[in-house]
Amino acid sequence: MATLEREIRFESDRDPEFAAQIRRMPGCENLNRCIQCATCSGICPLSTYMDMTPRRVIQLARDGFKADVLNCNTIWLCASCYQCQVECPKEIGITDVMYALKCKAIEAGIKPKQAAPQTLYREFYNLGTKNGRISEGALMVNTVIKTQPARFWSLKMLGLRLLRTGRFGWKIERMPQQSVLKAAIQATPPINGKESS
Amino acid sequence: MKYAYYPGCSLKSSGRAYEESFLAVCKILGLEMEELDNWNCCGATSFMSIEQGPAYTCSVRNLALAEKKNMDLVAPCGGCYGVLLKADHYYADYPAVRNSVDKGLAAEGLQYRRQIQIRHPMELLTHDPGLKAIRSLVKRPLKGLRVASYYGCRFLRPVAPFDDMRHPQTMDSLMKTVGARIADYASRGRCCGGALAGSIPKMAQELTYRLIKDAQKAEADVIVTGCPLCQFNLDAFQDEIIASHPDVKPIPVFFFTQLLGLALGAEPEELGIQRLIVPGIKILQEKGILGDKKADEKKVPVAAGAQNG
C-alpha cells in the first residue's frame, strides 16, 4: 500500500510575528488576500523545479510557518520575472514576498540545500557594495568555482570566446570614489519588517 | 537636450557591444549622452535578496545624482532599468523605503525629489527623435530580415511604463521602421532565466531553449533584445543548449541598437557585431544587407585583369 508522505503542521509550529514582518516588507502588504487560485504556480516558468509551488509558499508564509518557507528551494529559484505578480488576481506582490523570504533566510543564517543561487547573490552583493561596481569576470569565475567546479573546464571554450570578443576581462571595476557609497550604505537603516525599524 | 547616461556594469564588459551600438545610434540621431559621474551598481536582483535597505539606497542614489544634474536618466540595461524604475516607485509608495533611503543619501549630502524620468533607449528613440526621423535617416534598410523581438521581463513587469504588458510592440515598431520583417514571436515576454544562468545553468538553459525554439518556429532569422543579460543568456550558451536539444539551430542574437545602427549606416565594427558569440555577419550578408567582403576582394583582381587586358 502506498504511503502518503505528509507532515501535519500544528498551531505551535506557527510564528504569527514572522508573518506580520513579511507583510510589512515593501510590496508584501496584500499577502493575506490570497485566495489560493494558483495562478502564480501555473504561470511560473520554474515551478516544475520547485519543492513547493509559489501558491503553497504564499499560504505557509501568511500562516507563519517560518521553518517551511525559509528552507524551501522555491525562494532561491525565483528568477524575479514578475509574471506571477502581474497576473495575480488579488494583486499580491508575489515576487516581493520571495525577495522578503530570501532576506529572512539570510538573516536566519539558512544555507539552502541547493546553495548556488544564494552564493551568487552573496558574491554579487559583496563585490557590488565593496567596489560599487560589478566586475563580471571575477563574479563569473568565483561563482563557477564555488558552485560548479566540475563545469569550470567545460566552460573554457566559452571563456576563450568571451576573451577574444572582449566581453570578459580580469580588470576589477571600481567607482572612482567608493567611500561615498560605503558611507551611504552604513547610514541606511535596515528594512526588515520589524516594528522598531 | 542632454541625458544622464547610466551604463551599468554589464555595458562595460559582457554587454560592451550594447554600449558601442547605443552610443553610435545616439550620435547619428543627435542625442547627447553624458555618463553619470561616480555611478554605482543598481543592485540587480542580488542586493534585493540580501539586504533591502542598502538595496534601495544604492538604486536611488543614481537617480539622485541625475536629478542633481537636472537630466533624465537613460539606462539601456534591462536589469538596471527595471530595478531603478521599481526603486523610484517604491520610494514614492512605501514610507519605510523613503525613510531608509533618505537617511542613507543624506550621508553623502544627496536627496531625491522624484523630479526626473527614467528612460530606456527603446522608448527614448521611439519618442525623442521619433520613428519618422529615424525612417528618414535609413541608409541600409533591413529588407528581408525576419526579426523576433524578445522583450523579456523588465520592460513589461512589474510595471510597463511605455508598452502593453502582454502585447509589447515598441521594439517591433523600431525594427519595422528600418525595414525589417517582424516574426510572430509568442515567447517575447517570457523569462530567460536571469541570474540562474550563472548559478543553476541547467534550469536557465531549459528556459532559453524554449525562447530559441519559439523564435525558430516563427521562422525568425535573428533575435533582438534590449537587455545584456537576456542577450548573454541567449547568445553564449547555444552550444550547450543545442548539445542537449538538437532540434534547435544556432541563431544570432543582436542588441536592437546594433540592427538600428546598421540600418542608419554605421559599420558593423562600430556596433560591436564582431562580439557576438553566434556570429551575426553571415545572415546579414545572405540577405544582402551587408556586402560580402571576401566576394568583393575576389572580384577586384578580375576587374583589374579585365582592365589591363
Side-chain angles (χ1 to χ4, degrees), chain A residues 22-33 91 93, chain B residues 94:
Chain A
I22 298 297
R23 283 199 308 276
R24 281 186 222 113
M25 294 291 276
C28 304
E29 66 280 3
N30 292 340
L31 183 61
N32 280 355
R33 285 189 188 176
E91 297 178 333
Chain B
Y94 296 99

Side-chain angles (χ1 to χ4, degrees), chain B residues 31-46:
Chain B
L31 297 167
E32 208 179 328
M33 296 290 148
E34 186 183 305
E35 187 170 324
L36 204 58
D37 282 334
N38 211 34
W39 57 268
N40 63 270
C41 169
C42 73
T45 50
S46 302

Side-chain angles (χ1 to χ4, degrees), chain B residues 179-256:
Chain B
R181 291 173 66 201
I182 307 302
D184 183 13
Y185 186 32
S187 288
R188 52 183 49 211
R190 299 307 299 257
C191 176
C192 74
L196 283 182
S199 52
I200 316 180
K202 274 215 175 90
M203 285 181 199
Q205 284 174 16
E206 282 305 308
L207 302 190
T208 32
Y209 156 65
R210 299 305 307 206
L211 299 179
I212 293 169
K213 190 178 167 153
D214 277 3
Q216 281 170 348
K217 202 175 156 201
E219 295 175 341
D221 300 311
V222 302
I223 298 174
V224 290
T225 158
C227 172
L229 186 56
C230 299
Q231 200 280 338
F232 192 82
N233 286 354
L234 280 164
D235 183 25
F237 302 110
Q238 283 193 31
D239 275 359
E240 281 180 288
I241 292 168
I242 292 168
S244 50
H245 297 285
D247 57 325
V248 292
K249 298 190 300 281
I251 183 169
V253 185
F254 288 90
F255 291 109
F256 77 103

Side-chain angles (χ1 to χ4, degrees), chain B residues 53-236:
Chain B
Y56 283 107
T57 296
C58 288
S59 299
V60 177
R61 180 180 174 274
N62 296 302
L63 306 178
L65 289 178
E67 190 179 81
K68 206 174 159 189
K69 292 234 163 198
N70 203 18
M71 290 192 260
D72 282 349
L73 180 140
V74 179
C77 169
C80 300
Y81 176 77
V83 167
L84 296 177
L85 199 72
K86 181 183 171 189
D88 180 52
H89 279 254
Y90 281 33
Y91 178 84
D93 294 345
Y94 296 99
V97 174
R98 201 155 51 239
N99 172 52
S100 274
V101 170
D102 284 347
K103 283 182 181 144
L105 294 186
E108 197 185 337
L110 285 171
Q111 48 177 320
Y112 185 51
R113 297 194 195 88
R114 299 192 78 228
Q115 296 298 312
I116 55 154
Q117 298 222 347
I118 302 156
R119 319 224 18 203
H120 187 268
M122 241 183 242
E123 160 273 328
L124 179 83
L125 298 174
T126 304
H127 295 120
D128 286 11
L131 296 181
K132 237 183 174 174
I134 293 175
R135 192 176 292 120
S136 71
L137 291 168
V138 172
K139 301 239 167 24
R140 211 189 259 137
L142 304 182
K143 251 179 136 179
L145 189 70
R146 208 174 156 95
V147 171
S149 303
Y150 174 61
Y151 295 79
C153 50
R154 289 301 185 271
F155 315 114
L156 313 174
R157 302 184 294 267
V159 283
F162 61 83
D163 217 328
D164 187 288
M165 203 174 261
R166 292 177 187 82
H167 305 284
Q169 291 297 319
T170 314
M171 206 158 32
D172 300 73
S173 304
L174 280 165
M175 289 295 115
K176 225 187 276 177
T177 300
V178 295
R181 291 173 66 201
I182 307 302
D184 183 13
Y185 186 32
S187 288
R188 52 183 49 211
R190 299 307 299 257
C191 176
C192 74
L196 283 182
S199 52
I200 316 180
K202 274 215 175 90
M203 285 181 199
Q205 284 174 16
E206 282 305 308
L207 302 190
T208 32
Y209 156 65
R210 299 305 307 206
L211 299 179
I212 293 169
K213 190 178 167 153
D214 277 3
Q216 281 170 348
K217 202 175 156 201
E219 295 175 341
D221 300 311
V222 302
I223 298 174
V224 290
T225 158
C227 172
L229 186 56
C230 299
Q231 200 280 338
F232 192 82
N233 286 354
L234 280 164
D235 183 25

Side-chain angles (χ1 to χ4, degrees), chain A residues 24-29 42-46 49 73 76-83 85-87 93 96 99-100 102-103 106 114 116-118 120-122 124-129 132-137 140 143-144 147-148 151 154-155 157-158 161-162 164-169 173 175-178 180-181 183-185 187-191 197, chain B residues 9-16 35-41 43-58 61 86 90 94 96-97 99-101 103-105 107-108 153-154 156-159 165-166 189-191 193-207 228 231-232 235-237 239-240 255 274-277:
Chain A
R24 281 186 222 113
M25 294 291 276
C28 304
E29 66 280 3
I43 202 142
C44 176
L46 289 153
Y49 299 105
N73 76 0
W76 299 105
L77 296 193
C78 170
S80 314
C81 81
Y82 290 94
Q83 279 212 291
Q85 183 147 335
V86 302
E87 299 300 344
D96 287 325
Y99 276 131
K102 279 181 259 199
C103 291
I106 297 254
Q114 209 156 12
Q118 194 194 75
L120 173 63
Y121 288 145
R122 276 185 191 280
F124 193 109
Y125 183 83
N126 294 342
L127 267 172
T129 49
R133 292 184 190 171
I134 298 299
S135 320
E136 289 185 330
M140 285 188 231
T143 308
V144 171
T147 64
Q148 314 137 46
R151 192 162 170 258
S154 70
L155 281 172
M157 277 309 293
L158 177 61
R161 281 183 191 171
L162 290 171
R164 207 186 59 221
T165 52
R167 298 175 66 169
F168 178 96
E173 302 286 340
M175 289 164 75
Q177 268 184 285
Q178 292 151 245
V180 286
L181 185 72
I185 290 171
T188 301
I191 300 175
S197 69
Chain B
C9 308
S10 289
L11 270 75
K12 297 292 180 191
S13 57
S14 66
R16 278 174 74 174
E35 187 170 324
L36 204 58
D37 282 334
N38 211 34
W39 57 268
N40 63 270
C41 169
T45 50
S46 302
F47 286 20
M48 199 60 76
S49 307
I50 306 265
E51 273 282 359
Q52 299 207 357
Y56 283 107
T57 296
C58 288
R61 180 180 174 274
K86 181 183 171 189
Y90 281 33
Y94 296 99
V97 174
N99 172 52
S100 274
V101 170
K103 283 182 181 144
L105 294 186
E108 197 185 337
C153 50
R154 289 301 185 271
L156 313 174
R157 302 184 294 267
V159 283
M165 203 174 261
R166 292 177 187 82
R190 299 307 299 257
C191 176
L196 283 182
S199 52
I200 316 180
K202 274 215 175 90
M203 285 181 199
Q205 284 174 16
E206 282 305 308
L207 302 190
Q231 200 280 338
F232 192 82
D235 183 25
F237 302 110
D239 275 359
E240 281 180 288
F255 291 109
Q274 74 284 6
R275 298 192 195 281
L276 302 186
I277 300 297

